[in-house]
PDB file of all heavy atoms in Angstrom:
ATOM      1  N   ILE P1720     -14.861 -28.062   7.615  1.00 98.00           N
ATOM      2  CA  ILE P1720     -16.309 -27.804   7.612  1.00 98.00           C
ATOM      3  C   ILE P1720     -16.684 -27.035   6.343  1.00 98.00           C
ATOM      4  O   ILE P1720     -17.686 -27.344   5.678  1.00 98.00           O
ATOM      5  CB  ILE P1720     -16.715 -26.964   8.853  1.00 98.00           C
ATOM      6  CG1 ILE P1720     -16.178 -27.588  10.146  1.00 98.00           C
ATOM      7  CG2 ILE P1720     -18.224 -26.736   8.876  1.00 98.00           C
ATOM      8  CD1 ILE P1720     -17.084 -28.475  10.894  1.00 98.00           C
ATOM      9  N   ALA P1721     -15.884 -26.040   6.013  1.00 98.00           N
ATOM     10  CA  ALA P1721     -16.159 -25.245   4.804  1.00 98.00           C
ATOM     11  C   ALA P1721     -16.096 -26.132   3.565  1.00 98.00           C
ATOM     12  O   ALA P1721     -16.916 -26.011   2.653  1.00 98.00           O
ATOM     13  CB  ALA P1721     -15.151 -24.100   4.690  1.00 98.00           C
ATOM     14  N   GLU P1722     -15.135 -27.038   3.558  1.00 97.00           N
ATOM     15  CA  GLU P1722     -15.009 -27.924   2.404  1.00 97.00           C
ATOM     16  C   GLU P1722     -16.251 -28.807   2.240  1.00 97.00           C
ATOM     17  O   GLU P1722     -16.815 -28.925   1.150  1.00 97.00           O
ATOM     18  CB  GLU P1722     -13.762 -28.799   2.532  1.00 97.00           C
ATOM     19  CG  GLU P1722     -13.613 -29.724   1.353  1.00 97.00           C
ATOM     20  CD  GLU P1722     -12.304 -30.508   1.386  1.00 97.00           C
ATOM     21  OE1 GLU P1722     -12.193 -31.462   2.166  1.00 97.00           O
ATOM     22  OE2 GLU P1722     -11.401 -30.135   0.627  1.00 97.00           O
ATOM     23  N   ALA P1723     -16.699 -29.383   3.364  1.00 98.00           N
ATOM     24  CA  ALA P1723     -17.885 -30.241   3.313  1.00 98.00           C
ATOM     25  C   ALA P1723     -19.108 -29.425   2.889  1.00 98.00           C
ATOM     26  O   ALA P1723     -19.945 -29.882   2.090  1.00 98.00           O
ATOM     27  CB  ALA P1723     -18.122 -30.881   4.684  1.00 98.00           C
ATOM     28  N   ALA P1724     -19.207 -28.212   3.409  1.00 98.00           N
ATOM     29  CA  ALA P1724     -20.345 -27.352   3.078  1.00 98.00           C
ATOM     30  C   ALA P1724     -20.324 -26.983   1.594  1.00 98.00           C
ATOM     31  O   ALA P1724     -21.363 -26.986   0.922  1.00 98.00           O
ATOM     32  CB  ALA P1724     -20.308 -26.089   3.937  1.00 98.00           C
ATOM     33  N   GLY P1725     -19.147 -26.688   1.076  1.00 98.00           N
ATOM     34  CA  GLY P1725     -19.017 -26.332  -0.339  1.00 98.00           C
ATOM     35  C   GLY P1725     -19.443 -27.482  -1.239  1.00 98.00           C
ATOM     36  O   GLY P1725     -20.178 -27.285  -2.213  1.00 98.00           O
ATOM     37  N   LEU P1726     -19.001 -28.699  -0.877  1.00 98.00           N
ATOM     38  CA  LEU P1726     -19.369 -29.874  -1.678  1.00 98.00           C
ATOM     39  C   LEU P1726     -20.883 -30.061  -1.691  1.00 98.00           C
ATOM     40  O   LEU P1726     -21.478 -30.324  -2.735  1.00 98.00           O
ATOM     41  CB  LEU P1726     -18.694 -31.131  -1.092  1.00 98.00           C
ATOM     42  CG  LEU P1726     -17.203 -31.271  -1.407  1.00 98.00           C
ATOM     43  CD1 LEU P1726     -16.557 -32.330  -0.510  1.00 98.00           C
ATOM     44  CD2 LEU P1726     -16.990 -31.618  -2.879  1.00 98.00           C
ATOM     45  N   ALA P1727     -21.515 -29.875  -0.534  1.00 98.00           N
ATOM     46  CA  ALA P1727     -22.970 -30.043  -0.455  1.00 98.00           C
ATOM     47  C   ALA P1727     -23.693 -28.928  -1.207  1.00 98.00           C
ATOM     48  O   ALA P1727     -24.705 -29.163  -1.871  1.00 98.00           O
ATOM     49  CB  ALA P1727     -23.404 -30.067   1.011  1.00 98.00           C
ATOM     50  N   ALA P1728     -23.158 -27.709  -1.106  1.00 98.00           N
ATOM     51  CA  ALA P1728     -23.814 -26.567  -1.772  1.00 98.00           C
ATOM     52  C   ALA P1728     -23.852 -26.776  -3.290  1.00 98.00           C
ATOM     53  O   ALA P1728     -24.838 -26.438  -3.950  1.00 98.00           O
ATOM     54  CB  ALA P1728     -23.080 -25.275  -1.431  1.00 98.00           C
ATOM     55  N   LEU P1729     -22.777 -27.356  -3.828  1.00 98.00           N
ATOM     56  CA  LEU P1729     -22.735 -27.603  -5.279  1.00 98.00           C
ATOM     57  C   LEU P1729     -23.804 -28.621  -5.687  1.00 98.00           C
ATOM     58  O   LEU P1729     -24.293 -28.606  -6.814  1.00 98.00           O
ATOM     59  CB  LEU P1729     -21.355 -28.126  -5.685  1.00 98.00           C
ATOM     60  CG  LEU P1729     -20.197 -27.125  -5.606  1.00 98.00           C
ATOM     61  CD1 LEU P1729     -18.869 -27.849  -5.795  1.00 98.00           C
ATOM     62  CD2 LEU P1729     -20.346 -26.022  -6.646  1.00 98.00           C
ATOM     63  N   GLN P1730     -24.145 -29.498  -4.730  1.00 98.00           N
ATOM     64  CA  GLN P1730     -25.141 -30.548  -4.999  1.00 98.00           C
ATOM     65  C   GLN P1730     -26.578 -30.036  -4.938  1.00 98.00           C
ATOM     66  O   GLN P1730     -27.478 -30.620  -5.527  1.00 98.00           O
ATOM     67  CB  GLN P1730     -25.022 -31.664  -3.927  1.00 98.00           C
ATOM     68  CG  GLN P1730     -23.716 -32.405  -3.920  1.00 98.00           C
ATOM     69  CD  GLN P1730     -23.667 -33.439  -5.022  1.00 98.00           C
ATOM     70  OE1 GLN P1730     -24.700 -33.978  -5.403  1.00 98.00           O
ATOM     71  NE2 GLN P1730     -22.484 -33.683  -5.550  1.00 98.00           N
ATOM     72  N   ASP P1731     -26.797 -28.988  -4.156  1.00 98.00           N
ATOM     73  CA  ASP P1731     -28.181 -28.587  -3.868  1.00 98.00           C
ATOM     74  C   ASP P1731     -28.748 -27.676  -4.955  1.00 98.00           C
ATOM     75  O   ASP P1731     -28.894 -26.466  -4.785  1.00 98.00           O
ATOM     76  CB  ASP P1731     -28.273 -27.904  -2.498  1.00 98.00           C
ATOM     77  CG  ASP P1731     -29.695 -27.929  -1.966  1.00 98.00           C
ATOM     78  OD1 ASP P1731     -30.626 -28.115  -2.792  1.00 98.00           O
ATOM     79  OD2 ASP P1731     -29.890 -27.757  -0.757  1.00 98.00           O
TER      80      ASP P1731
END
Side-chain angles (χ1 to χ4, degrees):
I1720 309 265
E1722 180 174 76
L1726 284 166
L1729 290 170
Q1730 296 281 330
D1731 200 340

